[in-house]
Amino acid sequence: MALSVTNLASSLSSLSFSSQVSHGPNTLSFPRSNYLFSLPAKSARRASLSITATVAAPAEVSEDDTMELKKYVKSRLPGGFAAQKIIGTGRRKCAIARVVLQEGTGKVIINYRDAKEYLQGNPLWLQYVKVPLVTLGYENSYDVFVKAHGGGLSGQAQAITLGVARALLKVSADHRSPLKKEGLLTRDARVVERKKVGLKKARKAPQFSKR
């Protein structure tokens, strides 16, 4: 027993620890053999975790793909949009969309670009475009060709909805009842209210102060 205590004491005496307090504010420095740790005193016991996320940039559409789509649309629509029979015009806010339906497999092309790429893959906007076709069970029966301008992508998507619904009326008059029941034939007349003189926006007034 005495031998073991003696061995323990000798081993402890052989160890040496050194600690120095640096002159910097709120820092503790612990020198070791070949490296130095410098940590804030308050956060010495806290573990820090940094996470970096990278977002892939959307794939750019080459000019060759755009030219191929233009040739495809012109081959499918001889004489242009105005010469087609199944056509409808939709409006929403400042957006206007001319829609042509052709028998096909459910492809949607907007301004000579694929709908998913044009609408930036937004599922809500893509759903707007296909709601009238899904209502009648034609989602895989017609190809949709659109020329849209004005407003933003949200307004254009809702304008396409009205345009597709109006075009489906030219396919058959029996489509009016189910489309009207879903409210797809009603033009949404809501627009941004104009700014008023003396106000910051349509109704927002500047801060009132008595002095």
Side-chain angles (χ1 to χ4, degrees), residues 51 67 86 144 190:
I51 302 175
M67 292 300 296
I86 308 177
V144 182
R190 294 175 299 171

Side-chain angles (χ1 to χ4, degrees), residues 71-161:
K71 292 180 181 178
Y72 174 75
V73 172
K74 290 181 179 179
S75 65
R76 292 290 305 274
L77 306 177
F81 276 69
Q84 308 306 312
K85 294 182 179 180
I86 308 177
I87 187 171
T89 302
R91 294 179 179 86
R92 175 74 173 97
K93 297 181 182 179
C94 296
I96 302 175
R98 286 189 297 166
V99 181
V100 171
L101 299 182
Q102 291 278 352
E103 291 185 359
T105 59
K107 185 179 295 184
V108 181
I109 297 177
I110 306 173
N111 291 345
Y112 305 109
R113 293 161 66 184
D114 182 70
K116 188 173 183 180
E117 184 265 328
Y118 183 83
L119 297 176
Q120 301 178 356
N122 190 304
L124 181 61
W125 296 342
L126 292 171
Q127 183 181 358
Y128 283 152
V129 175
K130 298 182 179 180
V131 163
L133 296 173
V134 173
T135 301
L136 299 175
Y138 290 156
E139 59 269 21
N140 296 323
S141 301
Y142 286 95
D143 290 339
V144 182
F145 302 92
V146 183
K147 271 189 177 180
H149 67 276
L153 294 180
S154 177
Q156 289 184 5
Q158 295 177 57
I160 293 171
T161 302

Side-chain angles (χ1 to χ4, degrees), residues 49-63:
L49 177 63
S50 61
I51 302 175
T52 58
T54 57
V55 179
E60 297 182 357
V61 180
S62 62
E63 294 183 358

